[in-house]
Amino acid sequence: MADGASPQSTPLPQSTAVQPKTEGPADRLIAQTIQRIAHGPAFDAKVRQRVWVSGREILGVGTYEQAGQGTGQFNLQVTMLDGDGKHTLQQVSDGRLAWTREQIGEQISLRRVDVGRLDQWVNDSLASLFARGNPSADTAPLKPSVRVGGWTEMMDTISAEHDLTLQSGQLEGRDVWIVKGTLRDDVRAQRMKEWGRQDWPQLCPTQVVVLIARKDDPEASFGKGLPLRIEYWGDPVHTPKSDDAEQEPESAVANAHDSLTTENSRLVDEAPSRQRPSSQRMLNCPLISLIELYSLRPISPPPIGRFRFENQDLDVDFTNETDRYLSRYGIAITERQSRMLRR
């Protein structure tokens, strides 16, 4: 579009917009969880992540702070140690700019989302649709900015990309909801096309299990409706039983999983009969990653300075991903807006 064109974003044709899937009880619970994180009271938590690669366990620890109240302000920091060095992940948003900084060894990558403009351009486009009387247009219950990064984006992605089922159970004596998801066939096919592959990567998750607190933690009187544990599983690994050496990596994963999620695994395997095929797959699937949130507690809303990104990597070019998030809403930006994102 020419420089003199209107700065308002333009909705894409309906056929190219993201099409929502049919929602069930599990999807509604995930939506409530996102709402609780984004609009609930401020809180912080400790984070622990375990990743299993070729029989090795990589441990990560970190912190998470969420301002809540619809501000979109959060700060997630995780450091992982794998014997070869320290890898770090930082995601931080002040409600105007959301930054992701990843460092693997000496390699540093920076990504940014202009969440303030994201809100403005999505709202402008949806408003123009309403003005034309388009009955299919609807505003999202949450601002787009609060769906970027952190646990809200993780929950949002899980719901969008997986067929979900819901059941209840316990985690270490605490009542939880258990949401189990299997990667949608259309998502899997699209990924394979994008990657140009005929086989699915072994370490790419295809199943997920999310445990959400049904009640507040008795000690902190807090935590109801927040995620406590997220497990990512891969496709089945078929190993010849006669070859003990080849079974070692799978056994290492299985033993680690048994010690961490024995009770949860039992509940997952008791899924309704209509989900039995995918449940059976879990028995032969490796646990790729386990994320735990613990020591959750309410806090006073921190000052905004706590959520501002201090860029100390001025020699590293950042990638602006705002247009990727706009595409979720079926919106194409103008050339002028595209230049604004490069500033």
Side-chain angles (χ1 to χ4, degrees):
M1 190 171 291
D3 292 349
S6 168
Q8 182 170 289
S9 306
T10 304
L12 292 172
Q14 188 65 29
S15 59
T16 60
V18 176
Q19 299 297 321
K21 67 173 186 177
T22 302
E23 293 189 351
D27 297 278
R28 291 191 288 274
L29 176 62
I30 293 294
Q32 292 170 8
T33 301
I34 296 172
Q35 181 85 24
R36 174 70 176 77
I37 296 171
H39 280 271
F43 72 93
D44 66 9
K46 296 180 180 178
V47 181
R48 180 167 51 235
Q49 182 174 12
R50 289 179 169 92
V51 179
W52 289 272
V53 181
S54 301
R56 285 195 312 156
E57 178 182 343
I58 302 173
L59 176 64
V61 294
T63 58
Y64 182 77
E65 195 170 39
Q66 175 83 41
Q69 307 298 328
T71 62
Q73 297 168 0
F74 73 93
N75 193 334
L76 168 66
Q77 303 202 38
V78 177
T79 299
M80 304 198 75
L81 303 172
D82 67 354
D84 296 327
K86 183 171 70 173
H87 310 322
T88 61
L89 167 68
Q90 180 185 17
Q91 282 193 328
V92 58
S93 175
D94 61 4
R96 187 177 69 89
L97 298 174
W99 288 89
T100 298
R101 181 186 188 273
E102 289 184 277
Q103 181 169 357
I104 301 177
E106 299 299 322
Q107 295 295 115
I108 298 173
S109 67
L110 290 175
R111 302 191 301 275
R112 193 181 86 185
V113 180
D114 294 26
V115 290
R117 286 176 173 151
L118 182 65
D119 282 344
Q120 176 188 343
W121 294 342
V122 170
N123 289 338
D124 286 350
S125 295
L126 293 177
S128 69
L129 288 174
F130 280 126
R132 293 199 299 268
N134 188 330
S136 65
D138 195 5
T139 55
L142 296 173
K143 295 186 299 183
S145 59
V146 303
R147 295 177 177 269
V148 176
W151 307 125
T152 54
E153 181 168 356
M154 185 178 291
M155 296 293 105
D156 210 14
T157 302
I158 287 172
S159 179
E161 297 185 349
H162 297 78
D163 292 320
L164 304 179
T165 59
L166 175 64
Q167 56 193 127
S168 61
Q170 286 196 329
L171 172 67
E172 299 175 353
R174 187 173 179 182
D175 291 336
V176 294
W177 291 113
I178 300 176
V179 176
K180 183 193 167 193
T182 302
L183 191 67
R184 293 167 49 181
D185 290 340
D186 58 334
V187 175
R188 182 189 285 253
Q190 180 61 31
R191 297 270 173 81
M192 298 276 277
K193 181 179 179 181
E194 292 172 355
W195 297 335
R197 297 181 60 124
Q198 298 298 319
D199 58 327
W200 187 261
Q202 185 175 351
L203 295 179
C204 190
T206 56
Q207 298 179 85
V208 62
V209 179
V210 182
L211 276 65
I212 299 170
R214 296 181 63 180
K215 299 178 181 178
D216 284 336
D217 176 54
E219 295 184 6
S221 299
F222 183 76
K224 179 181 178 181
L226 294 176
L228 302 176
R229 177 173 292 179
I230 305 165
E231 299 180 6
Y232 287 96
W233 299 68
D235 269 346
V237 177
H238 301 290
T239 307
K241 294 183 179 180
S242 59
D243 191 338
D244 294 336
E246 290 188 11
Q247 288 187 35
E248 289 180 2
E250 184 177 359
S251 298
V253 172
N255 291 336
H257 176 252
D258 287 344
S259 65
L260 293 166
T261 57
T262 301
E263 185 175 27
N264 183 38
S265 296
R266 176 182 61 79
L267 292 165
V268 168
D269 293 337
E270 293 175 358
S273 58
R274 65 188 178 88
Q275 290 293 321
R276 182 58 58 189
S278 59
S279 298
Q280 291 296 332
R281 283 173 48 187
M282 297 283 282
L283 299 177
N284 300 318
C285 295
L287 179 62
I288 295 173
S289 178
L290 168 66
I291 302 172
E292 298 171 285
L293 276 73
Y294 61 102
S295 298
L296 286 87
R297 60 174 188 170
I299 58 175
S300 299
I304 192 171
R306 191 85 60 87
F307 305 103
R308 286 195 173 129
F309 179 69
E310 300 294 335
N311 187 7
Q312 300 178 357
D313 308 298
L314 300 179
D315 57 335
V316 178
D317 292 332
F318 70 87
T319 302
N320 196 308
E321 298 187 320
T322 308
D323 55 347
R324 181 167 68 86
Y325 286 87
L326 283 166
S327 68
R328 295 182 181 183
Y329 296 88
I331 295 172
I333 60 176
T334 67
E335 183 62 31
R336 176 182 176 184
Q337 290 168 329
S338 181
R339 288 198 299 272
M340 292 169 64
L341 297 179
R342 294 193 289 268
R343 296 176 183 172

